[in-house]
């Protein structure tokens, strides 16, 4: 199942939410129209839609942003998937609603035995929600491992840069840390490690050879700093 970034554009404005839910259920499950409608109503109830028996016949524009996202979650669960791919599911929502949606997504998927792959740039959501995290750079995994280890002891320079750029409430600092340079275009990725033009720890091998994921303590990182046969020569 898929949950997209903007619930208003991922729902068909010409159909009621009930029609969209029952259409999905009928396409994937061996039930008749009446059973599909009852399953749709139950899905709306499970995702926290009040008065689901009435709201099932409403159109997407009649729901608030948070309620539309709940409908989208119900739609993603309609075919009883084993995996939910959630692409920035809280970006279009108010901050006060984001935590509710993330909690709902965690609880309902856990109760139904579905895994969630969350695509997001919000490190706070990752820290509160995920078990494992993969950090991507230029279309490739730079580091992957348990959330606690990746956040608190990053092994890839890019991950370390990301974590350092987050404001620390316990420190009095006028300027935030930043990663110099810019992300490369995907049709002009540099030779060797894609991060080497911006990396403060690069050396000769980084300029010529592209690293694969390798063991880096409790995580795995695509960085020559962790190579067993590594001989560092400053670039």
């Amino acid at each position: 199942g898929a949950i997209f970034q903007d619930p208003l554009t991922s729902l068909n404005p010409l159909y009621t939410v009930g029609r969209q839910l029952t259409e999905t259920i009928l396409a994937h499950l061996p039930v008749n129209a009446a059973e599909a409608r009852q399953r749709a109503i139950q899905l709306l109830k499970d995702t926290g839609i009040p008065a689901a028996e009435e709201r099932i016949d409403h159109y997407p524009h009649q729901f608030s942003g948070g309620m539309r996202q709940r409908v989208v979650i119900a739609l993603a669960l309609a075919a009883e998937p084993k995996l939910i791919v959630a692409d920035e599911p809280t970006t279009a929502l108010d901050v006060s609603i984001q935590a509710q949606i993330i909690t709902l997504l965690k609880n309902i998927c856990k109760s139904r035995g579905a895994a969630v792959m969350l695509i997001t740039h919000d490190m706070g959501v990752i820290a509160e929600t995920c078990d494992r995290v993969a950090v991507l750079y230029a279309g490739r995994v730079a580091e992957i491992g348990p959330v606690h280890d990746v956040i608190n002891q990053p092994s890839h320079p890019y991950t370390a840069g990301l974590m350092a750029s987050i404001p620390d409430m316990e420190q009095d600092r006028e300027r935030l840390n930043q990663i110099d340079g810019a992300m490369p275009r995907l049709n002009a990725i540099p030779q060797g490690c894609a991060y080497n033009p911006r990396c403060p720890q690069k050396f000769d091998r980084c300029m010529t050879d592209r690293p694969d994921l390798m063991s880096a303590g409790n995580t795995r990182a695509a960085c020559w700093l962790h190579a067993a046969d590594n001989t560092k020569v400053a670039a």
Side-chain angles (χ1 to χ4, degrees):
I3 300 171
F4 298 102
Q5 183 170 341
D6 186 354
L8 185 59
T9 56
S10 59
L11 292 169
N12 191 323
L14 302 180
Y15 294 162
T16 65
V17 298
R19 177 172 176 179
Q20 295 178 66
L21 282 164
T22 54
E23 184 179 78
T24 302
I25 293 168
L26 288 169
H28 293 277
L29 301 177
V31 296
N32 58 38
E35 292 171 331
R37 182 177 173 85
Q38 287 305 309
R39 292 179 76 99
I41 292 172
Q42 188 59 50
L43 279 168
L44 292 178
K45 289 180 178 179
D46 290 346
T47 51
I49 302 291
E53 291 86 353
E54 299 175 12
R55 298 288 268 163
I56 191 172
D57 294 318
H58 288 185
Y59 289 86
H61 73 271
Q62 295 175 280
F63 291 80
S64 66
M67 287 297 165
R68 277 195 294 265
Q69 195 63 296
R70 292 172 187 266
V71 172
V72 171
I73 292 173
L75 191 60
L77 292 165
E80 299 183 355
K82 294 296 183 184
L83 174 67
I84 298 289
V85 179
D87 181 11
E88 298 277 9
T90 61
T91 300
L93 305 177
D94 293 337
V95 174
S96 59
I97 305 298
Q98 290 182 5
Q100 297 177 21
I101 295 298
I102 289 296
T103 300
L104 170 67
L105 187 59
K106 283 177 62 177
N107 292 340
I108 199 168
C109 288
K110 184 177 181 180
S111 67
R112 291 172 175 266
V116 180
M117 185 171 74
L118 183 65
I119 303 168
T120 182
H121 62 269
D122 191 326
M123 298 303 291
V125 169
I126 292 168
E128 290 293 328
T129 307
C130 302
D131 300 309
R132 290 175 59 80
V133 60
V135 179
L136 275 68
Y137 185 82
R140 288 172 58 87
V141 176
E143 184 172 358
I144 186 169
V147 166
H148 181 271
D149 295 299
V150 172
I151 287 178
N152 292 291
Q153 295 177 310
S155 298
H156 193 284
Y158 177 59
T159 311
L162 287 179
M163 299 314 303
S165 68
I166 298 174
D168 189 340
M169 300 301 291
E170 297 180 358
Q171 294 184 9
D172 184 13
R173 181 184 299 168
E174 292 187 1
R175 293 179 63 87
L176 297 177
N177 290 325
Q178 67 180 29
I179 300 175
D180 294 331
M183 185 80 73
R185 299 193 311 274
L186 294 184
N187 63 353
I189 293 176
Q191 185 178 356
C193 174
Y195 188 60
N196 77 64
R198 309 173 71 186
C199 183
Q201 302 181 62
K202 65 185 176 184
F203 50 98
D204 282 353
R205 192 174 188 181
C206 306
M207 314 297 287
T208 57
D209 301 334
R210 187 171 69 179
D212 292 319
L213 287 171
M214 58 192 79
S215 179
N218 292 331
T219 71
R220 299 176 68 209
C223 179
W224 291 121
L225 291 171
H226 304 286
D229 60 343
N230 193 15
T231 302
K232 300 179 185 177
V233 179

